[in-house]
Amino acid sequence: MTPIITLCTINDLEILQKISIETFTDTFAADNDPKDLQDFLDTAYSLPQLTSELNDPNAFFYFVHVNDELTGYLKLNINDAQTEDDFPNGLEIQRIYIRKNHKKMGLGQLLFEKSKEVAKELKKDQLWLGVWEHNKPALSFYEKQGFTKHSQHDFVLGDDIQTDFILVLNSSDSKN
């Protein structure tokens, strides 16, 4: 197994939409109302929305493939593409999603390492992200990476207002 990470382009739009919907649904469907989930998917992962994000020079999508199979993806934001204003020289990890059949293979760690690499290349002071307060596996993963809770914000999923913890890792705290 040799994972390969590649930068997504607008030519990857439909593949990005498919894996985005699949991985978000696999991760959160069991804990959310189906209508709220569908409303979110229809908005967040619509072709116009993803086109806008792919065309934003401050947003970066990466695919990870293993043996020519798409296994997951990563979305990073800088500058005004960030979803919070608290980190003017930060890099936001907006999404790390791995297909369910490829979890526990170190691919999330690999995409996290890619995030650190991009942050270093862009001379960012910190990495940060929002993670749902009930997503225990993700919270545990990021805690092991050295992230600490900074604050929290609302995450709207359809008509359901949920709480995301904002976690931060300063560049000087990064585990190498």
Side-chain angles (χ1 to χ4, degrees):
M1 174 186 102
T2 304
I4 297 172
I5 298 175
T6 57
L7 185 65
C8 297
T9 70
I10 197 68
N11 295 330
D12 299 313
L13 176 63
E14 291 180 4
I15 297 166
L16 177 62
Q17 182 188 44
K18 182 181 184 303
I19 193 170
S20 296
I21 291 169
E22 173 190 327
T23 55
F24 192 90
T25 300
D26 287 345
T27 303
F28 298 110
D31 297 311
N32 288 283
D33 178 86
K35 184 187 178 319
D36 287 334
L37 180 69
Q38 192 60 54
D39 288 348
F40 177 81
L41 296 173
D42 290 346
T43 302
Y45 300 128
S46 70
L47 291 176
Q49 179 62 37
L50 290 174
T51 297
S52 174
E53 293 176 16
L54 279 165
N55 286 328
D56 186 334
N58 293 312
F60 313 93
F61 286 90
Y62 297 90
F63 283 153
V64 61
H65 289 85
V66 175
N67 300 329
D68 295 324
E69 182 180 355
L70 179 59
T71 56
Y73 80 104
L74 166 70
K75 181 180 184 223
L76 304 175
N77 299 319
I78 59 171
N79 304 331
D80 63 356
Q82 295 181 93
T83 60
E84 293 286 326
D85 296 329
D86 291 356
F87 308 98
N89 194 38
L91 182 137
E92 176 185 15
I93 302 172
Q94 189 175 4
R95 300 177 195 140
I96 293 181
Y97 284 104
I98 305 297
R99 285 184 152 157
K100 65 181 173 185
N101 293 342
H102 296 90
K103 291 187 178 194
K104 307 288 185 198
M105 294 173 57
L107 298 173
Q109 182 70 44
L110 184 70
L111 291 176
F112 174 67
E113 294 299 325
K114 178 65 176 178
S115 303
K116 291 193 327 187
E117 178 186 309
V118 172
K120 185 175 182 179
E121 287 171 9
L122 298 176
K123 298 179 176 33
K124 296 301 178 184
D125 295 330
Q126 63 270 127
L127 289 166
W128 72 273
L129 54 94
V131 62
W132 188 32
E133 66 181 330
H134 299 296
N135 188 345
K136 301 302 182 201
L139 287 167
S140 176
F141 174 80
Y142 291 116
E143 183 180 284
K144 288 177 186 168
Q145 305 307 318
F147 281 82
T148 57
K149 184 177 175 189
H150 173 271
S151 60
Q152 61 189 47
H153 70 188
D154 290 341
F155 180 87
V156 181
L157 189 95
D159 292 327
D160 187 18
I161 299 174
Q162 302 179 353
T163 300
D164 275 3
F165 293 149
I166 305 299
L167 307 180
V168 64
L169 177 69
N170 291 316
S171 295
S172 59
D173 298 336
S174 179
K175 296 180 179 180
N176 292 327

